[in-house]
Amino acid sequence: FQWVKTPAWTGAFDLRAAFMPGTVDHADNSAYSGYLATLLTLERSAKVTLGFAGGLRTENVFVDGIRCGDWYGVLPERFSDLQLDAGEHLLLIDISASDHGGSYHIAVDSAEFFELRSPISGGSAGETPFAMIGPFDTVVNVTYKGIRRLDLGQPQYQAAAGIRNKKDMDAFRDWIRPLPAAYYNEQDVLGANMWRTDVIRGNVTAQLEQGIIASPEPGLVPVSADGYDSELVIDFGREWSGFIGFEVEAEEGAVIDLYGLEYMNGDYRQHTYGLDNTIRYICREGRQQYLSPVRRGFRYLILTVRGAAKPVKLYDIYVNQSNYPVTEAGAFQSSDPLLNQIWEISRHTTRLCMEDTFVDCPAYEQVFWVGDSRNEALVNFYVYGSLDIVKRCLNLVPGSADITPLYLDQVPSAWNSVIPNWTFFWAIACAEYVEHTGDRAYAAEIWPAVRHTLEHYLTHIDDSGLLNIKGWNLLDWAPMDQPDEGIVTHQNMFLYKTLRKADGLAAAAGEAGSAFPGAADSLLAAINEQLWDE
């Protein structure tokens, strides 16, 4: 239990949708250049701290035309302390970036009263306190079609960095418009959790503990008379992924914030940067229940009571674990306790990554990534033995053929993205499913889709005899050479493996002979001749 304070002002922005409105219809990687501008007004001179708890996009942050410096904080968090005179100051923030979606977090704190207002209007009701300058360039990138870098040399973009005040903005009137309210939110639960301006340790009393144990009496979450919020960190023992619920008794208007984390160590918190893994609940008067409609993954749940004048009674807080229904078919026990722990952690993790498809992780994307699914299927065969979910995943992939015959790396998806190895792993997984089950009827059913994509990949064999392709040429997140265009060794090797596996799948489907006569042998020879380095 802790008493905490948060910045005087926090804001979360959907800049991708604001600067590139068309991106609401897709999830493709997009980039844009431009600025946010606001007027910060102080009644008296004061120390003001600018905070970017989720990180800066560039260090081009200016107040009255002067570039902020002396940034501090544990990366990605960035903070800068300013001593500002009473009066009006123009805050200009360069937000140019490649943006895959999600909120951008900005906060301002000061012991003295301040206001933020729009530099381009008169403070009418409903407007946000920010103006947008730009975009000066935009680009939407699809790796297998080619990549264009954002043009940061555009003269107007570079000139706008010199804006010092409202008058200077006149020269850029054609580039300036209000930030729409739909893309702006001061109810920034994640930002308020990432940057706490003061923390005082409290005690977990027996009365408080009643809120998280089986007890007929509620826990009492105390309140502070000094402007502090009440923060309770609850350890659920291990990772879960499901629907969070609670029951409380509170006064009308009391705010309950929930924030899920996967890892903590002492005072260190591994924040969910890029994932607003949060809930804000505003209480009505009396006893009430809530169950989140959104599935969330976490181990530690931070419950913060804000703005309450009297203690909140916490009757219950829980998570309804949600996953594909599985049978505990596999078992493992050894004389080594560490191996037993590894088995249990791995089994539990696999379960958390099984929804209507396999997914990549319990908390962040919860997405059916095709390559991840292949590895999860192999584990599942021996831990749970569930076959229907494997077949469902395999059958979804060819559904992306109307977008590209190379097949997408996550399906279904609004992100037009191809990882060639993920397609290869899918074809390998089709063969492995048939090997595991002996289901020759399924081999015949899926074989045409496997043949279709491999035929198209083979058109990217160049004069050297090697696969030379544009795409997200990923194998792993290790710091290794994986360019988005050209010949990539691991990709050629996995294509070779896939062609060999395809022969077995074709045979199970009733196709006589090699599926791609000579293709695998030719590729093998080119790999050994050109890609080996002694």
Side-chain angles (χ1 to χ4, degrees), residues 77 155 168 250 288 299-300 326 371 395 422 454 492 509:
E77 301 162 15
D168 288 348
Q288 54 214 284
R299 171 175 170 170
Y300 302 94
V326 295
N395 286 341
W422 268 218
L454 290 179
N492 277 270

Side-chain angles (χ1 to χ4, degrees), residues 450-469:
V450 173
R451 181 179 59 209
H452 176 75
T453 194
L454 290 179
E455 286 172 347
H456 284 84
Y457 271 99
L458 288 175
T459 66
H460 293 274
I461 300 291
D462 68 10
D463 293 341
S464 72
L466 295 167
L467 179 70
N468 186 332
I469 194 170

Side-chain angles (χ1 to χ4, degrees), residues 393-429:
C393 289
L394 298 177
N395 286 341
L396 281 172
V397 176
S400 64
D402 61 332
I403 299 173
T404 170
L406 306 177
Y407 297 164
L408 298 184
D409 48 33
Q410 50 173 272
V411 185
S413 177
W415 183 12
N416 187 357
S417 176
V418 169
I419 301 176
N421 276 334
W422 268 218
T423 309
F424 301 158
F425 292 171
W426 166 78
I428 292 169

Side-chain angles (χ1 to χ4, degrees), residues 346 365 522:
S346 303
E365 295 174 13
S522 298

Side-chain angles (χ1 to χ4, degrees), residues 119-233:
I120 59 172
S121 63
S124 60
E127 74 173 15
T128 71
F130 284 83
M132 303 162 54
I133 309 175
F136 299 95
D137 185 34
T138 63
V139 61
V140 177
N141 283 320
V142 176
T143 51
Y144 69 88
K145 295 181 179 180
I147 300 294
R148 178 177 77 79
R149 296 193 180 279
L150 193 65
D151 179 12
L152 297 179
Q154 205 269 359
Q156 290 289 90
Y157 161 72
Q158 293 190 337
I163 293 174
R164 296 165 298 171
N165 49 47
K166 285 174 61 175
K167 186 174 184 301
D168 288 348
M169 295 180 69
D170 291 343
F172 300 90
R173 64 171 63 92
D174 292 340
W175 298 95
I176 296 176
R177 64 187 190 279
L179 175 72
Y183 307 129
Y184 171 81
N185 190 358
E186 293 184 7
Q187 307 294 321
D188 184 11
V189 182
L190 181 60
N193 273 279
M194 289 192 295
W195 182 18
R196 298 169 301 158
T197 57
D198 194 17
V199 178
I200 301 174
R201 283 199 181 279
N203 295 316
V204 178
T205 64
Q207 193 174 39
L208 181 58
E209 196 176 44
Q210 287 177 166
I212 62 169
I213 62 176
S215 169
E217 299 298 323
L220 278 184
V221 183
V223 297
S224 164
D226 300 321
Y228 285 83
D229 299 324
S230 309
E231 181 187 273
L232 184 62
V233 181

